[in-house]
Amino acid sequence: ENVSKLERVWKWNSIDEPLYDGPTQVRRGYFKATPLMVKGILYVATALNQVAAVDAGTGESIWEFNPKAYDEPGGRSVFQHRGLGYWSDGTDERIIMGTTTRQLIALNAKTGKLYSDFGENGVVDMGKGLDRPIQETHLRFTAPPMIIRDTIVPGCAMPDEANNPGIAPGHVRGYDVRTG
């Protein structure tokens, strides 16, 4: 009954916008993410695999993180991301993201900085440790990861081509939330 009385309170422009027209010349992506809201802060993944923390009351960006997935092999073939994971032990708070270029990233929820002791310099290459070599562009992580206690279980997207020897094996893997 009151929908006609609603007014926009704020608008947030994606941090991807400067990359579409700037020197990177990447093609426009699809904004498909569902933001997480934790303690009055919205955490969102963008089509280009960037992450932003946005004040839910004002729409102002608190911090931004750009893993530059569009510069990685296969990074210019998928321009969408569906979301992030959140983990806390009561003291430490982390935003977890898998990128379309197989990177697993843990960011400090307050600062947006990588944890240098997570994986190698803050990033885990989820394409490593598989049974066989794969075609890198066939293994992508665009879904929000599940986090069960202290274990990250990323969901992946891969083609369904059983006759292709470069197809990823489809393993379900878990990563330690603190160390990767």
Side-chain angles (χ1 to χ4, degrees), residues 78-100:
V78 176
F79 295 107
Q80 64 181 351
H81 205 284
R82 290 187 169 88
L84 308 164
Y86 171 83
W87 173 88
S88 177
D89 64 2
T91 305
D92 188 10
E93 296 178 76
R94 295 181 182 216
I95 299 299
I96 308 296
M97 177 186 196
T99 71
T100 57

PDB file of all heavy atoms in Angstrom, residues 78-100:
ATOM      1  N   VAL A  78      34.738 -13.982 -18.605  1.00  0.00           N
ATOM      2  CA  VAL A  78      33.535 -14.028 -17.755  1.00  0.00           C
ATOM      3  C   VAL A  78      33.465 -12.738 -16.953  1.00  0.00           C
ATOM      4  O   VAL A  78      34.389 -12.393 -16.232  1.00  0.00           O
ATOM      5  CB  VAL A  78      33.579 -15.220 -16.784  1.00  0.00           C
ATOM      6  CG1 VAL A  78      32.387 -15.187 -15.859  1.00  0.00           C
ATOM      7  CG2 VAL A  78      33.615 -16.525 -17.547  1.00  0.00           C
ATOM      8  N   PHE A  79      32.351 -12.035 -17.081  1.00  0.00           N
ATOM      9  CA  PHE A  79      32.189 -10.774 -16.367  1.00  0.00           C
ATOM     10  C   PHE A  79      30.920 -10.820 -15.535  1.00  0.00           C
ATOM     11  O   PHE A  79      29.930 -10.171 -15.827  1.00  0.00           O
ATOM     12  CB  PHE A  79      32.175  -9.601 -17.341  1.00  0.00           C
ATOM     13  CG  PHE A  79      33.488  -9.437 -18.054  1.00  0.00           C
ATOM     14  CD1 PHE A  79      33.625  -9.779 -19.381  1.00  0.00           C
ATOM     15  CD2 PHE A  79      34.597  -8.977 -17.378  1.00  0.00           C
ATOM     16  CE1 PHE A  79      34.837  -9.640 -20.035  1.00  0.00           C
ATOM     17  CE2 PHE A  79      35.817  -8.832 -18.016  1.00  0.00           C
ATOM     18  CZ  PHE A  79      35.933  -9.165 -19.347  1.00  0.00           C
ATOM     19  N   GLN A  80      30.998 -11.632 -14.493  1.00  0.00           N
ATOM     20  CA  GLN A  80      29.903 -11.705 -13.535  1.00  0.00           C
ATOM     21  C   GLN A  80      30.424 -12.339 -12.252  1.00  0.00           C
ATOM     22  O   GLN A  80      31.394 -13.080 -12.268  1.00  0.00           O
ATOM     23  CB  GLN A  80      28.743 -12.520 -14.088  1.00  0.00           C
ATOM     24  CG  GLN A  80      29.079 -13.968 -14.329  1.00  0.00           C
ATOM     25  CD  GLN A  80      27.909 -14.732 -14.908  1.00  0.00           C
ATOM     26  OE1 GLN A  80      26.810 -14.234 -14.980  1.00  0.00           O
ATOM     27  NE2 GLN A  80      28.148 -15.956 -15.317  1.00  0.00           N
ATOM     28  N   HIS A  81      29.780 -12.034 -11.178  1.00  0.00           N
ATOM     29  CA  HIS A  81      30.107 -12.643  -9.895  1.00  0.00           C
ATOM     30  C   HIS A  81      28.857 -12.581  -9.047  1.00  0.00           C
ATOM     31  O   HIS A  81      28.105 -11.613  -9.103  1.00  0.00           O
ATOM     32  CB  HIS A  81      31.266 -11.906  -9.201  1.00  0.00           C
ATOM     33  CG  HIS A  81      31.984 -12.795  -8.254  1.00  0.00           C
ATOM     34  ND1 HIS A  81      31.470 -13.128  -7.022  1.00  0.00           N
ATOM     35  CD2 HIS A  81      33.143 -13.464  -8.365  1.00  0.00           C
ATOM     36  CE1 HIS A  81      32.307 -13.955  -6.417  1.00  0.00           C
ATOM     37  NE2 HIS A  81      33.334 -14.175  -7.220  1.00  0.00           N
ATOM     38  N   ARG A  82      28.634 -13.620  -8.249  1.00  0.00           N
ATOM     39  CA  ARG A  82      27.375 -13.710  -7.514  1.00  0.00           C
ATOM     40  C   ARG A  82      27.491 -13.423  -6.027  1.00  0.00           C
ATOM     41  O   ARG A  82      26.477 -13.283  -5.359  1.00  0.00           O
ATOM     42  CB  ARG A  82      26.742 -15.056  -7.763  1.00  0.00           C
ATOM     43  CG  ARG A  82      26.244 -15.163  -9.194  1.00  0.00           C
ATOM     44  CD  ARG A  82      25.465 -16.432  -9.432  1.00  0.00           C
ATOM     45  NE  ARG A  82      24.802 -16.388 -10.713  1.00  0.00           N
ATOM     46  CZ  ARG A  82      25.349 -16.789 -11.852  1.00  0.00           C
ATOM     47  NH1 ARG A  82      26.578 -17.237 -11.875  1.00  0.00           N
ATOM     48  NH2 ARG A  82      24.667 -16.738 -12.970  1.00  0.00           N
ATOM     49  N   GLY A  83      28.691 -13.327  -5.480  1.00  0.00           N
ATOM     50  CA  GLY A  83      28.744 -12.947  -4.078  1.00  0.00           C
ATOM     51  C   GLY A  83      29.947 -13.428  -3.302  1.00  0.00           C
ATOM     52  O   GLY A  83      30.842 -14.077  -3.826  1.00  0.00           O
ATOM     53  N   LEU A  84      29.919 -13.106  -2.033  1.00  0.00           N
ATOM     54  CA  LEU A  84      31.036 -13.288  -1.117  1.00  0.00           C
ATOM     55  C   LEU A  84      30.625 -14.154   0.062  1.00  0.00           C
ATOM     56  O   LEU A  84      29.445 -14.380   0.295  1.00  0.00           O
ATOM     57  CB  LEU A  84      31.482 -11.921  -0.591  1.00  0.00           C
ATOM     58  CG  LEU A  84      31.771 -10.861  -1.637  1.00  0.00           C
ATOM     59  CD1 LEU A  84      31.806  -9.484  -1.003  1.00  0.00           C
ATOM     60  CD2 LEU A  84      33.084 -11.179  -2.328  1.00  0.00           C
ATOM     61  N   GLY A  85      31.619 -14.553   0.840  1.00  0.00           N
ATOM     62  CA  GLY A  85      31.383 -15.225   2.105  1.00  0.00           C
ATOM     63  C   GLY A  85      31.907 -14.364   3.237  1.00  0.00           C
ATOM     64  O   GLY A  85      32.785 -13.514   3.039  1.00  0.00           O
ATOM     65  N   TYR A  86      31.371 -14.593   4.432  1.00  0.00           N
ATOM     66  CA  TYR A  86      31.803 -13.853   5.626  1.00  0.00           C
ATOM     67  C   TYR A  86      32.119 -14.871   6.706  1.00  0.00           C
ATOM     68  O   TYR A  86      31.386 -15.843   6.902  1.00  0.00           O
ATOM     69  CB  TYR A  86      30.695 -12.911   6.090  1.00  0.00           C
ATOM     70  CG  TYR A  86      30.964 -12.276   7.440  1.00  0.00           C
ATOM     71  CD1 TYR A  86      31.757 -11.151   7.541  1.00  0.00           C
ATOM     72  CD2 TYR A  86      30.428 -12.820   8.600  1.00  0.00           C
ATOM     73  CE1 TYR A  86      32.023 -10.567   8.772  1.00  0.00           C
ATOM     74  CE2 TYR A  86      30.677 -12.254   9.838  1.00  0.00           C
ATOM     75  CZ  TYR A  86      31.474 -11.134   9.926  1.00  0.00           C
ATOM     76  OH  TYR A  86      31.732 -10.564  11.144  1.00  0.00           O
ATOM     77  N   TRP A  87      33.197 -14.619   7.441  1.00  0.00           N
ATOM     78  CA  TRP A  87      33.592 -15.481   8.552  1.00  0.00           C
ATOM     79  C   TRP A  87      34.108 -14.603   9.682  1.00  0.00           C
ATOM     80  O   TRP A  87      34.768 -13.584   9.446  1.00  0.00           O
ATOM     81  CB  TRP A  87      34.703 -16.435   8.109  1.00  0.00           C
ATOM     82  CG  TRP A  87      35.274 -17.230   9.234  1.00  0.00           C
ATOM     83  CD1 TRP A  87      34.829 -18.427   9.710  1.00  0.00           C
ATOM     84  CD2 TRP A  87      36.421 -16.883  10.035  1.00  0.00           C
ATOM     85  NE1 TRP A  87      35.616 -18.839  10.758  1.00  0.00           N
ATOM     86  CE2 TRP A  87      36.598 -17.899  10.979  1.00  0.00           C
ATOM     87  CE3 TRP A  87      37.289 -15.800  10.051  1.00  0.00           C
ATOM     88  CZ2 TRP A  87      37.620 -17.886  11.919  1.00  0.00           C
ATOM     89  CZ3 TRP A  87      38.306 -15.774  10.974  1.00  0.00           C
ATOM     90  CH2 TRP A  87      38.467 -16.803  11.901  1.00  0.00           C
ATOM     91  N   SER A  88      33.823 -15.006  10.912  1.00  0.00           N
ATOM     92  CA  SER A  88      34.355 -14.326  12.090  1.00  0.00           C
ATOM     93  C   SER A  88      34.525 -15.328  13.220  1.00  0.00           C
ATOM     94  O   SER A  88      33.729 -16.259  13.369  1.00  0.00           O
ATOM     95  CB  SER A  88      33.403 -13.211  12.542  1.00  0.00           C
ATOM     96  OG  SER A  88      33.899 -12.609  13.726  1.00  0.00           O
ATOM     97  N   ASP A  89      35.568 -15.132  13.999  1.00  0.00           N
ATOM     98  CA  ASP A  89      35.744 -15.926  15.220  1.00  0.00           C
ATOM     99  C   ASP A  89      35.420 -15.085  16.450  1.00  0.00           C
ATOM    100  O   ASP A  89      35.734 -15.460  17.560  1.00  0.00           O
ATOM    101  CB  ASP A  89      37.161 -16.486  15.310  1.00  0.00           C
ATOM    102  CG  ASP A  89      38.240 -15.407  15.428  1.00  0.00           C
ATOM    103  OD1 ASP A  89      37.896 -14.203  15.483  1.00  0.00           O
ATOM    104  OD2 ASP A  89      39.432 -15.768  15.453  1.00  0.00           O
ATOM    105  N   GLY A  90      34.800 -13.939  16.250  1.00  0.00           N
ATOM    106  CA  GLY A  90      34.467 -13.028  17.339  1.00  0.00           C
ATOM    107  C   GLY A  90      35.447 -11.882  17.456  1.00  0.00           C
ATOM    108  O   GLY A  90      35.127 -10.835  18.006  1.00  0.00           O
ATOM    109  N   THR A  91      36.635 -12.059  16.930  1.00  0.00           N
ATOM    110  CA  THR A  91      37.661 -11.010  16.935  1.00  0.00           C
ATOM    111  C   THR A  91      38.049 -10.650  15.507  1.00  0.00           C
ATOM    112  O   THR A  91      37.984  -9.504  15.105  1.00  0.00           O
ATOM    113  CB  THR A  91      38.916 -11.473  17.704  1.00  0.00           C
ATOM    114  OG1 THR A  91      38.523 -11.875  19.014  1.00  0.00           O
ATOM    115  CG2 THR A  91      39.933 -10.357  17.816  1.00  0.00           C
ATOM    116  N   ASP A  92      38.469 -11.643  14.762  1.00  0.00           N
ATOM    117  CA  ASP A  92      38.865 -11.476  13.364  1.00  0.00           C
ATOM    118  C   ASP A  92      37.614 -11.620  12.492  1.00  0.00           C
ATOM    119  O   ASP A  92      36.782 -12.503  12.721  1.00  0.00           O
ATOM    120  CB  ASP A  92      39.889 -12.560  13.014  1.00  0.00           C
ATOM    121  CG  ASP A  92      40.523 -12.379  11.653  1.00  0.00           C
ATOM    122  OD1 ASP A  92      40.339 -11.315  11.030  1.00  0.00           O
ATOM    123  OD2 ASP A  92      41.210 -13.319  11.201  1.00  0.00           O
ATOM    124  N   GLU A  93      37.482 -10.740  11.485  1.00  0.00           N
ATOM    125  CA  GLU A  93      36.366 -10.808  10.541  1.00  0.00           C
ATOM    126  C   GLU A  93      36.933 -10.810   9.133  1.00  0.00           C
ATOM    127  O   GLU A  93      37.738  -9.937   8.793  1.00  0.00           O
ATOM    128  CB  GLU A  93      35.446  -9.598  10.702  1.00  0.00           C
ATOM    129  CG  GLU A  93      34.765  -9.511  12.051  1.00  0.00           C
ATOM    130  CD  GLU A  93      33.910  -8.262  12.142  1.00  0.00           C
ATOM    131  OE1 GLU A  93      32.815  -8.248  11.545  1.00  0.00           O
ATOM    132  OE2 GLU A  93      34.363  -7.301  12.801  1.00  0.00           O
ATOM    133  N   ARG A  94      36.511 -11.786   8.333  1.00  0.00           N
ATOM    134  CA  ARG A  94      37.056 -11.937   6.992  1.00  0.00           C
ATOM    135  C   ARG A  94      35.960 -11.992   5.940  1.00  0.00           C
ATOM    136  O   ARG A  94      34.917 -12.596   6.135  1.00  0.00           O
ATOM    137  CB  ARG A  94      37.893 -13.209   6.894  1.00  0.00           C
ATOM    138  CG  ARG A  94      39.116 -13.137   7.785  1.00  0.00           C
ATOM    139  CD  ARG A  94      39.972 -14.382   7.691  1.00  0.00           C
ATOM    140  NE  ARG A  94      41.093 -14.230   8.611  1.00  0.00           N
ATOM    141  CZ  ARG A  94      42.314 -14.674   8.376  1.00  0.00           C
ATOM    142  NH1 ARG A  94      42.574 -15.336   7.270  1.00  0.00           N
ATOM    143  NH2 ARG A  94      43.277 -14.485   9.245  1.00  0.00           N
ATOM    144  N   ILE A  95      36.243 -11.381   4.805  1.00  0.00           N
ATOM    145  CA  ILE A  95      35.420 -11.494   3.614  1.00  0.00           C
ATOM    146  C   ILE A  95      36.167 -12.447   2.682  1.00  0.00           C
ATOM    147  O   ILE A  95      37.348 -12.248   2.392  1.00  0.00           O
ATOM    148  CB  ILE A  95      35.217 -10.115   2.936  1.00  0.00           C
ATOM    149  CG1 ILE A  95      34.513  -9.152   3.894  1.00  0.00           C
ATOM    150  CG2 ILE A  95      34.480 -10.261   1.618  1.00  0.00           C
ATOM    151  CD1 ILE A  95      33.130  -9.600   4.335  1.00  0.00           C
ATOM    152  N   ILE A  96      35.482 -13.475   2.226  1.00  0.00           N
ATOM    153  CA  ILE A  96      36.097 -14.514   1.407  1.00  0.00           C
ATOM    154  C   ILE A  96      35.508 -14.458  -0.002  1.00  0.00           C
ATOM    155  O   ILE A  96      34.297 -14.345  -0.177  1.00  0.00           O
ATOM    156  CB  ILE A  96      35.844 -15.918   2.006  1.00  0.00           C
ATOM    157  CG1 ILE A  96      36.246 -15.968   3.493  1.00  0.00           C
ATOM    158  CG2 ILE A  96      36.533 -16.993   1.184  1.00  0.00           C
ATOM    159  CD1 ILE A  96      37.713 -15.755   3.776  1.00  0.00           C
ATOM    160  N   MET A  97      36.382 -14.561  -0.986  1.00  0.00           N
ATOM    161  CA  MET A  97      35.945 -14.518  -2.381  1.00  0.00           C
ATOM    162  C   MET A  97      36.743 -15.488  -3.230  1.00  0.00           C
ATOM    163  O   MET A  97      37.963 -15.596  -3.091  1.00  0.00           O
ATOM    164  CB  MET A  97      36.141 -13.114  -2.944  1.00  0.00           C
ATOM    165  CG  MET A  97      35.777 -12.981  -4.398  1.00  0.00           C
ATOM    166  SD  MET A  97      36.210 -11.337  -4.995  1.00  0.00           S
ATOM    167  CE  MET A  97      35.272 -11.290  -6.494  1.00  0.00           C
ATOM    168  N   GLY A  98      36.052 -16.185  -4.116  1.00  0.00           N
ATOM    169  CA  GLY A  98      36.697 -16.945  -5.175  1.00  0.00           C
ATOM    170  C   GLY A  98      36.501 -16.161  -6.455  1.00  0.00           C
ATOM    171  O   GLY A  98      35.409 -15.653  -6.713  1.00  0.00           O
ATOM    172  N   THR A  99      37.532 -16.022  -7.259  1.00  0.00           N
ATOM    173  CA  THR A  99      37.422 -15.226  -8.482  1.00  0.00           C
ATOM    174  C   THR A  99      37.200 -16.118  -9.704  1.00  0.00           C
ATOM    175  O   THR A  99      37.393 -17.331  -9.650  1.00  0.00           O
ATOM    176  CB  THR A  99      38.682 -14.374  -8.728  1.00  0.00           C
ATOM    177  OG1 THR A  99      39.761 -15.244  -9.117  1.00  0.00           O
ATOM    178  CG2 THR A  99      39.063 -13.556  -7.515  1.00  0.00           C
ATOM    179  N   THR A 100      36.846 -15.490 -10.791  1.00  0.00           N
ATOM    180  CA  THR A 100      36.666 -16.220 -12.046  1.00  0.00           C
ATOM    181  C   THR A 100      37.991 -16.726 -12.594  1.00  0.00           C
ATOM    182  O   THR A 100      38.010 -17.495 -13.547  1.00  0.00           O
ATOM    183  CB  THR A 100      35.994 -15.333 -13.105  1.00  0.00           C
ATOM    184  OG1 THR A 100      36.767 -14.163 -13.288  1.00  0.00           O
ATOM    185  CG2 THR A 100      34.582 -14.969 -12.690  1.00  0.00           C
TER     186      THR A 100
END
